[in-house]
Structures are given as C-alpha cells and as structure tokens.
Amino acid sequence: MKNDIILSGVGGQGILSIAAVIGYAAVENNLYLKQAEVHGMSQRGGDVQSHFRLSDHPVASDLIPYGEADLILSVEPMESLRYLPWLSAEGWLVTNSNPFVNIPDYPDTGELMTEIKKVKNNLIVDADSIAREAGSGKAANIVMLGAASHFLELPVESIENAIRKLFGKKGTEVIDLNLKALHAGRDQFTN
Amino acid sequence: MSKLMLLGDEAVAQAAMDAGLSGMYAYPGTPSTEIMEYIQASRVASDKNIIREWSANEKTAMEAALGMSYTGKRSMVAMKHVGLNVAADGFINSAMTGVNGGLIVVAADDPSMHSSQNEQDSRFYGKFAFVPTFEPSSQQEAYNMIFEAFETSEKYKVPVLFRITTRLAHSRSAVEQNDEVKQNDFSLPSELRQFVLLPAIARKKYKGLLANYEAIANDDKFQKNNFYIDGEDKSFGIVACGLAYNYLAENCRREKCKHPVIKIGSYPVREDLLGRLKEECDEIIVLEEGYPLVEELMRGYPSSSYKIRGRLDGSVPRDGELNPNIVAKALGMNSLYGEEVPGIVRKRPPSLCKGCGHADMYNALNTALEEHGPGKVFSDIGCYTLGALPPFNAINSCVDMGASVTMAVGAADGGLFPSVAVIGDSTFTHSGMTGLLDAVIKKSPVTIIISDNSTTGMTGGQKSHATNRLESICEGLGVEKEHIRVIIPLRKNHDENTEVIKEELVYKGVSVIISQRECIQTAARRRKKEREKK
C-alpha cells in the first residue's frame, strides 16, 4: 500500500494542521511516513505545499515523483492546479472552491472551475460554507480533509482519533466542532 | 524506546540532547531555525540545564560554542549555509585550535534557494577547514550520526561539520531514540596553550590538523558511513551522497539497484573506495545535492578520458536541488509526468502580511523620496526584503546581513545623495552596528532606517537582541541625539512620518530613523498566550 498526497494552499491557510491529523492517524496504523513541509519566506502569503507519503513499506524519497500522487488535497482552487504534474492518471483532485485572492492578476473563478473539472477525478467542495454551518469557518481545512478522507488509506475512526488528539487541549467543544466538520466534508462524496 | 515524529532539524536537536549536549548556540536562519527552537521548547533541555539562548549572529554563536567546548563540555552551533560565511573565521580557526569537549557545527544548506540568496554547498567548508563532515540522508540517520559526530570530535579533538539540506531539515519522519549519554564534567584543556594560535604554535597545530584529516580518511569506524553495495550491471556505477541516495532508492522501487552503488555519508571519503568503483565499472554517475564536490574529486584535473557523469557534463542539472525525476533521467530510467500546469495559474509570490509595519514604513519612505528619484535605497535580509516587489518597488539591494548600512556608506562616498539603508532590528544587531560605526567615524551623509518590529520575523518570530536597545546603541555608537528619530509606522501617521524622513534625508551626516511597531504575527501570538494564561 502507498498513499502519496500533495497538500496545497496559501501560507497561513492551515495545511500543516491537515498534515498533523493525517500524521497522527498514520502512526496509529503503524504506517511509514515522510512529510516534506515549506517553512520560511514563502509562508508569507505565498503558495505552499506539503508532500505527504504514507506506506506499509519504508519511504525513500521525501518528495513525491511526478505523475505518482494519488491525491491533491487543496484548500484553495488555483493552488490545486499548480501541482497537476504530480497527479497520477487515476489520482483524485479534491479542492475547496473558495479562492484566496491576494494577487492583482488572480484568474477568473469560472475559468478555474473549468480547468479543475478537466481533471478526470475531481471533487470541488464549498468548504467555507460547510464549515460555517458546522459551527466555525476556521474548520474549512478539516471539512476538506473529510471530503478527501475517501481517498486516504486510513480508517475514518483513526482520523477522528487524530482530531481528538490535535485539538485535545482546546476542549470538547472544539473537538466536537471539528468532528462535525470532518463528517460534513465526508458527506460531500459517496462511493 | 519510543518513536518520535520529527523534522530533520528536530532529529538533530533531539539527538544532541540525548548525546550529552551542554550548550546550544545559533542565530535563526531557514532551514536551520527549528533546531534551536526545538531545544528551547524542550522540557528535557530545561531539566538538564542545557544552555540555549539565541546569539547575536553566527560568529558569536560559533565562538561561544568553542568556549563551551574549552570547558570540556559538548556544544553545538547551528546556522543556515550563508551563516557559515559569517562564522567562517571562528569555524576555520577552531579546526586549528581543536576542541576539548565535542563540538558540532550544523550548516543547513538551501539548494534551489527556497529561502536564501545563494545555494553554496557547505561541504566545501569542511574540506577547506580540514574538518570531518557528516551528511545524513534521513531523519533517523541524522539522529544516529549526531552521536557519532560528538565521538569523532572528541576522538580527534576537532570540530565536526554536520551538513543537512532543506528537504531533510523540513521533512518529518519517525525517529527511534538511543540511550542517553551523560553530559561531560567540567575540565580544562590538558594543554593550556591549545587555543593560542600564535604563529609558532599555529604552525605546529596545522601539521597536526593535516595528519588528523589523513587519519580520519583511514578510520574504519568513520568510513562505515561510506560503503559499497555490489550490483551485477557494471556498465555504470553510481555514487550517491546524502539525500541523493533516497532518490536513487525511490527509483529502484524497493528492489536492489542493478548497478554497483557507493553511498556516501561522511567526508573525507577513503580513496580506495571510490577507486574500486572506477576499476569495476565502465563509467560512473555521481549524484549529490549541491555542488559537484565528489564529481570534481573523481574527475581529477586534467580530467582523464574515464567517463564521470553528473552535474558537470549535464547528466544532472548544474544548479538546483535534486528530486526523484532528475535522478531517474540521469540513470536513463523512465519516469511519469502528470498534466501540465494550466496557463491560468498565476505566480503567488510571498508578500508582507496585512497590517505589517514594514509596509507603512515603505509607503512613507517612497513618498519622501519622490523628489529625489529612484535608486537610492540599500536594504537587507528579512521580511522587509519583500519591499523589492510591487506594490512598493522600494529597495535596490539585498546582499548579505548588514550590507545595507555599509553599501549606503560606500555609495555615499561615490556620490549618491541621499543614500539610504533599510535594515531590520535583528539584522542591525547581527551585523549592522559595525557598519554604523564606520559611518559615524566618517560623518557619512547616510540615512539609516531601522525597521524595528521587535522580533526576528521572517524565521518565525524569535527574540531579537535589539528590542528596547536601539536608541541607546545608536547613541553609544556616536550618532547625534537629534538625528536619532523614532516614528510609529501606521497609516494615520503617514504624513508626519514622511516629514521626518524628508528632514533626515537632506541632513549631510549620519541619521537613524527607528520605525518602531511590533510584528503583527508576534503580537497576535503574544496576545493569544496572554489569553491562555488567564
């Protein structure tokens, strides 16, 4: 088994919390993992990505080779397209539909959606609205994780445990909100 | 023992603490920052009383680490690759003095310049200084090698260089811990002139250093990091250094490589090991992250007809970091490629945060400079370097820590007026103060703007040595009191701030404008912490 995931977004959007949840869940399942992150200057509102590799065998490279990612999980629509060279022919692109506009020449949203829909396996999720319904717009990244959880080779119970672990210090209210966000995201796709 | 999920940086930090570290010294710099941060946050470090304060710059950090070693204790100093330029004097001469307690110098290189101004390869510093160098390929190897690095340092009484690169520094994986080593007791060097590099002593010490380097090249234990893995296809052999080995393994897909491989994890490399590959194979491909160090070594000069492939013949790109696909191509293996990035995807460069004080400072500076025209501003290393990009287009240089001040002085000498420097508070206490002293002594007509956000912002908000000290430092260095001006960079103060800058721009002597407002990221974190305390 191997699960190569590219997490993408804009600096400050919280892709590292998604990575932390997947990390905890992977450890619970005794999987090998490597996760390359971006720190430093590009975190300031620039494009950021994380290569996350899960496997039942030791992982060699910290970086995913082109054309071999099973999943692009993006919290921002334009950023989801930046990593298409990495996506495998059968891989899934799962993205938030809400643009993060901090550049003057941001493309037309309609055109972006057209490009995203050209990808064979795509799932576009209005994570911001779903997160607000679940109780807080801040949980949009967990909604996205929920939507993408169908394509992660991890039991959903492990992802729930990981959320309990990550948000443990913040109390039951925050945990419940994020679990609700996870499942609301998960409901966006049926096998 | 339990497994930890650690960044490469954190693996280095955890290992050092487990291996008997007594003092950690560093100045923040991507991708090395998390080493010190991890140790500072560690309860274990607190229990063990490990010294762990940031230093003013890499040179002071290096020298303090050497001082800790003088007392017989184990010390470590960490920096980004260009930080080693700042620390180079101390580093190279610490090889000459040798050490008492084990001393590790961690240099985190940044090939592809994700967050740096160049991609220099620190392994050359190891060679230059005759210092044994370690280059791990994984988080676990990094952890294990730190123990070995301390042992090597104490066995040969030399500092060791520990070279990592961005991909390892900032990639997370499981690490298994070793048994702990106790900290060394206090003990003075057995020879009290060991650290006195008077020429007569230095000449003797240099011969010792050279002999040492030779001995390390023939030390079986040290050379265990460099080993030969046989393969049946001898049409070419492969040398894989550090992280490059992972990319090779990735392409072999869990199977053994068909070709003979030498994995390199420490330098100097024993000559006969590389010689064996040359004898057995028709040609050799060298894979290394950074400059072609081993490739040049194997080619020799003048290069022989024997075929060595790598960065120098174009088999591997001459610049930039490696990845699995580059390695596949060099080995003549197929690799996949997904779809091209659609044309509508735009670049998204980093930008100053909304509400950042640097932005208000630049807006005021740009207005004040309108009447003087473009090309007058030297700047420095930090978040404010983003002032080079639109919408500000406000600065004309970013070279090395502190260069804004000194370049402004030199340009003023050459006739530039007004000549302006923009430097951050932490960069100023790192390397700007000495340049300001030059300016004061020459009465140079320069305007120095210290954009003081009271933190080391770009690397994530570490403590700045400058906080609450800038006015007294400038006064102490001899800047006239009436030309040390303090402004608060807020939009509502724009006109007032512009006036202050305008006044100082036309002053034909040294003026310093301290533009002072806390980094909004640091402020937000501070407020959050205060809330949590309540």
Side-chain angles (χ1 to χ4, degrees):
Chain A
M1 185 282 277
K2 72 112 190 165
N3 216 188
D4 284 338
I5 307 152
I6 291 199
L7 303 170
S8 64
V10 180
Q13 280 194 305
I15 65 167
L16 290 183
S17 329
I18 302 181
V21 173
I22 304 176
Y24 285 138
V27 170
E28 189 179 289
N29 287 276
N30 289 316
L31 294 171
Y32 292 95
L33 72 87
K34 273 192 178 173
Q35 184 218 333
E37 302 171 357
V38 175
H39 297 212
M41 193 179 219
S42 26
Q43 277 178 296
R44 308 259 167 268
D47 53 275
V48 291
Q49 107 298 114
S50 170
H51 286 222
F52 204 118
R53 314 195 70 191
L54 289 175
S55 174
D56 52 5
H57 283 75
V59 180
S61 166
D62 299 87
L63 296 175
I64 300 168
Y66 289 129
E68 297 192 25
D70 305 294
L71 171 66
I72 292 173
L73 167 48
S74 185
V75 292
E76 206 281 342
M78 183 177 83
E79 294 310 321
S80 75
L81 294 168
R82 199 183 297 281
Y83 305 98
L84 286 186
W86 278 270
L87 191 63
S88 81
E90 295 304 317
W92 275 84
L93 185 157
V94 181
T95 184
N96 187 351
S97 61
N98 296 276
F100 186 95
V101 182
N102 65 342
I103 47 170
D105 56 346
Y106 194 90
D108 177 72
T109 324
E111 282 178 51
L112 269 181
M113 293 305 143
T114 311
E115 285 295 339
I116 291 168
K117 285 175 186 157
K118 282 186 195 164
V119 177
K120 186 180 160 198
N121 298 316
N122 70 78
L123 177 60
I124 304 170
V125 177
D126 181 359
D128 294 22
S129 308
I130 297 170
R132 277 194 297 271
E133 271 168 42
S136 165
K138 279 189 193 164
N141 50 356
I142 301 298
V143 171
M144 288 312 303
L145 175 62
S149 62
H150 299 278
F151 316 109
L152 294 173
E153 306 227 13
L154 291 166
V156 70
E157 296 74 31
S158 297
I159 300 175
E160 290 170 354
N161 288 341
I163 285 177
R164 287 189 192 101
K165 198 167 170 185
L166 184 69
F167 296 105
K169 273 190 198 159
K170 297 188 175 170
T172 43
E173 215 171 295
V174 177
I175 292 175
D176 290 344
L177 186 150
N178 280 285
L179 289 175
K180 201 171 156 196
L182 178 81
H183 283 280
R186 198 167 158 82
D187 291 344
Q188 296 301 304
F189 182 81
T190 38
N191 281 312
Chain B
M1 271 232 179
S2 61
K3 275 195 178 178
L4 301 169
M5 201 53 71
L6 300 178
L7 294 177
D9 275 349
E10 297 170 344
V12 167
Q14 182 67 50
M17 291 192 290
D18 293 346
L21 181 75
S22 295
M24 174 71 206
Y25 302 87
Y27 182 82
T30 313
S32 71
T33 313
E34 292 81 1
I35 302 173
M36 175 64 105
E37 285 190 324
Y38 186 86
I39 295 180
Q40 286 187 339
S42 158
R43 198 170 296 164
V44 179
S46 161
D47 293 344
K48 292 183 174 179
N49 284 320
I50 296 173
I51 301 291
R52 50 189 197 289
E53 285 290 329
W54 293 109
S55 301
N57 65 35
E58 293 85 354
K59 180 175 185 283
T60 65
M62 174 73 226
E63 292 153 354
L66 187 62
M68 175 66 85
S69 160
Y70 180 91
T71 67
K73 299 190 180 176
R74 289 186 166 182
S75 64
M76 186 158 88
V77 52
M79 58 199 77
K80 67 182 294 169
H81 58 338
V82 286
L84 192 47
N85 298 333
V86 178
D89 205 358
F91 172 68
I92 288 167
N93 287 307
S94 71
M96 291 289 286
T97 62
V99 305
N100 188 19
L103 169 57
I104 298 177
V105 181
V106 183
D109 291 359
D110 189 19
S112 278
M113 299 174 252
H114 298 281
S115 229
S116 306
Q117 69 272 47
N118 75 27
E119 58 174 36
Q120 65 186 59
D121 184 334
S122 297
R123 294 177 301 165
F124 281 84
Y125 264 116
K127 198 178 165 190
F128 191 38
F130 301 101
V131 158
T133 301
F134 289 85
E135 190 189 15
S137 66
S138 69
Q139 293 77 357
Q140 184 70 59
E141 224 174 70
Y143 181 90
N144 296 343
M145 276 183 176
I146 286 287
F147 286 74
E148 198 191 332
F150 274 130
E151 285 162 21
T152 306
S153 175
E154 285 173 0
K155 179 175 174 188
Y156 289 96
K157 295 276 168 203
V158 286
V160 298
L161 183 63
F162 203 87
R163 189 238 190 183
I164 55 175
T165 55
T166 305
R167 279 310 157 194
L168 179 60
H170 288 166
S171 174
R172 208 176 282 280
S173 194
V175 172
E176 204 166 324
Q177 279 178 273
N178 291 346
D179 292 336
E180 284 183 28
V181 176
K182 254 189 61 196
Q183 290 184 39
N184 291 347
D185 293 330
F186 177 94
S187 72
L188 287 175
S190 52
E191 162 58 81
L192 285 176
R193 286 197 304 187
Q194 180 191 334
F195 289 81
V196 185
L197 292 180
L198 271 171
I201 303 172
R203 277 180 218 115
K204 238 188 348 211
K205 296 220 63 131
Y206 184 47
K207 284 186 201 298
L209 177 65
L210 293 172
N212 231 347
Y213 199 62
E214 184 90 22
I216 293 164
N218 292 301
D219 181 319
D220 286 336
K221 188 162 180 237
F222 183 80
Q223 292 297 336
K224 272 200 182 124
N225 298 306
N226 306 323
F227 52 86
Y228 188 98
I229 310 160
D230 206 1
E232 66 275 15
D233 186 345
K234 313 266 185 195
S235 57
F236 64 84
I238 302 162
V239 178
C241 308
L243 220 54
Y245 184 77
N246 298 350
Y247 301 136
L248 173 65
E250 182 71 29
N251 280 294
C252 295
R253 312 262 156 194
R254 289 183 207 150
E255 280 171 25
K256 199 175 157 292
C257 184
K258 285 188 302 184
H259 302 272
V261 176
I262 291 176
K263 180 183 185 300
I264 291 183
S266 60
Y267 309 82
V269 183
R270 180 185 280 167
E271 206 177 315
D272 56 6
L273 182 72
L274 298 173
R276 177 174 169 194
L277 202 62
K278 235 173 168 174
E279 266 166 38
E280 291 184 1
C281 301
D282 302 333
E283 52 180 72
I284 292 171
I285 298 177
V286 185
L287 303 170
E288 50 196 326
E289 193 77 290
Y291 294 178
L293 179 129
V294 174
E295 189 181 346
E296 276 180 350
L297 182 81
M298 293 191 78
R299 271 180 177 233
Y301 188 82
S303 60
S304 65
S305 58
Y306 188 88
K307 196 149 185 200
I308 306 281
R309 291 169 48 202
R311 290 199 187 260
L312 292 172
D313 79 331
S315 299
V316 178
R318 188 66 178 81
D319 62 324
E321 69 175 333
L322 299 174
N323 64 39
N325 300 89
I326 286 172
V327 169
K329 198 174 164 209
L331 300 173
M333 293 166 127
N334 291 327
S335 58
L336 300 168
Y337 194 82
E339 298 292 329
E340 287 294 344
V341 181
I344 60 164
V345 175
R346 307 279 190 259
K347 282 200 176 121
R348 198 188 304 254
S351 54
L352 291 175
C353 306
K354 246 188 208 153
C356 173
H358 294 314
D360 293 306
M361 176 276 296
Y362 276 129
N363 286 332
L365 176 62
N366 277 347
T367 312
L369 276 169
E370 264 166 18
E371 60 194 274
H372 299 283
K376 306 283 197 297
V377 184
F378 302 92
S379 192
D380 232 294
I381 316 260
C383 285
Y384 52 93
T385 313
L386 295 169
L389 305 178
F392 307 106
N393 303 308
I395 61 170
N396 309 104
S397 80
C398 157
V399 182
D400 66 80
M401 296 287 281
S404 59
V405 177
T406 29
M407 282 183 74
V409 169
D413 289 347
L416 186 75
F417 187 80
S419 187
V420 183
V422 173
I423 185 167
D425 53 316
S426 183
T427 308
F428 177 72
T429 45
H430 177 292
S431 287
M433 298 190 296
T434 43
L436 182 57
L437 183 60
D438 281 351
V440 166
I441 300 289
K442 315 167 72 153
K443 292 195 183 328
S444 194
V446 292
T447 306
I448 315 290
I449 298 177
I450 305 178
S451 198
D452 174 16
N453 59 3
S454 306
T455 190
T456 312
M458 192 169 67
T459 44
Q462 293 75 25
K463 225 168 124 183
S464 163
H465 278 29
T467 304
N468 298 328
R469 289 191 181 84
L470 286 172
E471 282 169 78
S472 51
I473 289 173
C474 294
E475 221 183 302
L477 287 172
V479 182
E480 297 155 283
K481 215 170 175 181
E482 57 274 30
H483 291 287
I484 301 173
R485 312 284 297 267
V486 179
I487 61 173
I488 310 291
L490 283 168
R491 196 187 299 178
K492 64 173 186 186
N493 298 343
H494 178 82
D495 294 343
E496 195 185 317
N497 292 346
T498 305
E499 275 317 303
V500 171
I501 298 173
K502 273 186 175 173
E503 283 167 30
E504 296 307 327
L505 284 177
V506 294
Y507 174 60
K508 300 255 169 96
V510 180
S511 37
V512 174
I513 300 165
I514 302 168
S515 173
Q516 201 164 52
R517 178 152 71 82
E518 188 180 13
C519 166
I520 57 157
Q521 301 284 357
T522 315
R525 274 196 298 273
R526 185 171 49 75
R527 280 195 291 267
K528 198 176 160 196
K529 247 190 200 159
E530 285 166 3
R531 268 200 310 273
E532 279 167 7
K533 261 189 198 158
K534 282 177 195 165

